[in-house]
Amino acid sequence: MDFRAFTSEIEENKWDVYGVEVYQSGKLLHTFGDTQKKHNIYSATKTVLSIAVGIASDRGVFDISAPLLEYLPRETVAKMSKSALNAYQAVTIRDLLTMSVSGLPFQVASENYLDYALSFAVAKKGEFNYSNNSAYLVGAALSGAIGGDAGKFIEEQIFAPLEITDFSYERSPEGYFYGASKMELSVHSLSKIALLLYAGGEVAGKRIVSAEYVKEATKVQQMNKEGGYGYFIWKYRDGFSINGKWGQKSYVLPREELVITHLAHIDDNLPLRECMEKYILGK
């Protein structure tokens, strides 16, 4: 591992990388830049939501094999068109977690995200269909399952035990936690999320989410061109990764006992990944 060569290349290329952390065997090994200031983590938000789903599932209040509509407000379901209602009856929480629902556009829209997402004649299919609407619907369903606010649930059940105190997130116009994006965390805080998954759901000897859920969430549940997808978590080599669109990443490689986190804002962040692989992974 040549961390200095990695950071030198970041500086030479003037890549907009805010900060980097590298952990081995759960211990902080290297840092670069500002790892404490929070930034938008974009779709890495989805992984935080996935952990919250796991906690609720562990407690028996959220069945991910159950239909989505079971957890949404009755008045909302009653407003759905007949075609959309018939289509959605077969869609489960797991289908949404694995991005296995066709017919959903990528982006949410309108002044009522929930009504918009439920207006499409979707289909449960084997093809991968990445959509922010899928994550948004899971967040709304989680609120229904716990009988409270999903955002506050995340604060209390994930951020508090991980000692993450500097964060922000947004809600939809109708007030639901927007689980697809728009959360802000620091490099160090995102590392804590990744380390929780690396450790199988424990932190400092305290169980946060079950090892069984972490195992299912981080393994390939749905194939795609990137190599596979779990429950809002991406397959990466022999491990997995937490991904945001502009270079918000945390790579978890259990075999090498490595966790590598960086926050950045780079339109094409493939060269940054290749640089990390060359100097950090050595391959």
Side-chain angles (χ1 to χ4, degrees):
M1 184 186 300
D2 191 341
F3 188 74
R4 182 55 194 154
F6 174 56
T7 57
S8 292
E9 196 153 324
I10 289 173
E11 293 170 333
E12 289 167 10
N13 287 287
K14 297 182 179 179
W15 290 328
D16 196 6
V17 176
Y18 305 131
V20 183
E21 288 187 340
V22 177
Y23 292 77
Q24 189 150 40
S25 303
K27 303 296 183 182
L28 183 60
L29 199 63
H30 297 292
T31 65
F32 168 79
D34 188 344
T35 63
Q36 300 298 326
K37 183 178 179 180
K38 70 178 188 293
H39 300 275
N40 195 331
I41 62 170
Y42 295 93
S43 285
T45 305
K46 295 178 176 72
T47 302
V48 179
L49 174 59
S50 177
I51 295 170
V53 167
I55 295 169
S57 176
D58 292 340
R59 296 179 182 180
V61 299
F62 201 24
D63 181 359
I64 66 172
S65 65
L68 164 72
L69 298 184
E70 182 176 315
Y71 295 107
L72 298 183
R74 292 182 180 179
E75 59 272 21
T76 299
V77 175
K79 292 189 296 181
M80 294 173 66
S81 68
K82 185 175 181 180
S83 60
L85 181 62
N86 289 339
Y88 263 107
Q89 284 176 343
V91 173
T92 67
I93 302 300
R94 181 181 280 108
D95 296 329
L96 294 165
L97 284 168
T98 58
M99 300 290 181
S100 302
V101 179
S102 68
L104 273 174
F106 169 72
Q107 197 56 276
V108 295
S110 85
E111 294 183 359
N112 188 306
Y113 290 1
L114 190 55
D115 286 349
Y116 175 79
L118 295 173
S119 67
F120 297 93
V122 299
K124 174 183 175 180
K125 296 180 69 174
E127 297 175 3
F128 185 72
N129 178 43
Y130 191 80
S131 170
N132 281 345
N133 282 286
S134 290
Y136 174 69
L137 287 170
V138 169
L142 176 61
S143 289
I146 63 175
D149 179 68
K152 292 297 182 183
F153 186 77
I154 287 169
E155 290 184 41
E156 295 166 1
Q157 305 303 322
I158 301 175
F159 291 165
L162 293 182
E163 298 182 349
I164 295 173
T165 57
D166 190 14
F167 58 83
S168 66
Y169 57 84
E170 293 190 17
R171 302 178 186 279
S172 66
E174 68 272 25
Y176 285 109
F177 168 72
Y178 182 57
S181 186
K182 300 183 180 180
M183 178 177 282
E184 292 189 351
L185 292 177
S186 67
V187 172
H188 190 58
S189 293
L190 186 59
S191 288
K192 289 182 177 182
I193 299 296
L195 288 164
L196 175 66
L197 295 171
Y198 167 78
E202 287 188 346
V203 59
K206 181 180 180 181
R207 173 67 57 190
I208 305 301
V209 61
S210 69
E212 292 79 8
Y213 181 83
V214 172
K215 181 179 179 180
E216 291 300 305
T218 58
K219 76 178 186 181
V220 175
Q221 299 282 352
Q222 170 64 284
M223 283 304 301
N224 57 22
K225 65 182 181 180
E226 288 82 9
Y229 197 73
Y231 297 159
F232 295 156
I233 297 171
W234 297 82
K235 176 68 176 175
Y236 177 71
R237 296 197 173 197
D238 65 335
F240 54 91
S241 66
I242 302 170
N243 291 9
K245 67 178 180 178
W246 302 123
Q248 300 79 39
K249 301 275 188 176
S250 195
Y251 301 97
V252 181
L253 297 161
R255 187 179 302 171
E256 293 88 349
E257 300 184 327
L258 284 172
V259 171
I260 305 138
T261 304
H262 59 68
L263 294 183
H265 193 92
I266 306 172
D267 188 17
D268 178 11
N269 52 82
L270 177 60
L272 176 61
R273 191 191 76 189
E274 292 174 339
C275 181
M276 180 277 294
E277 291 171 342
K278 177 180 179 181
Y279 293 115
I280 306 298
L281 303 184
K283 52 186 174 179

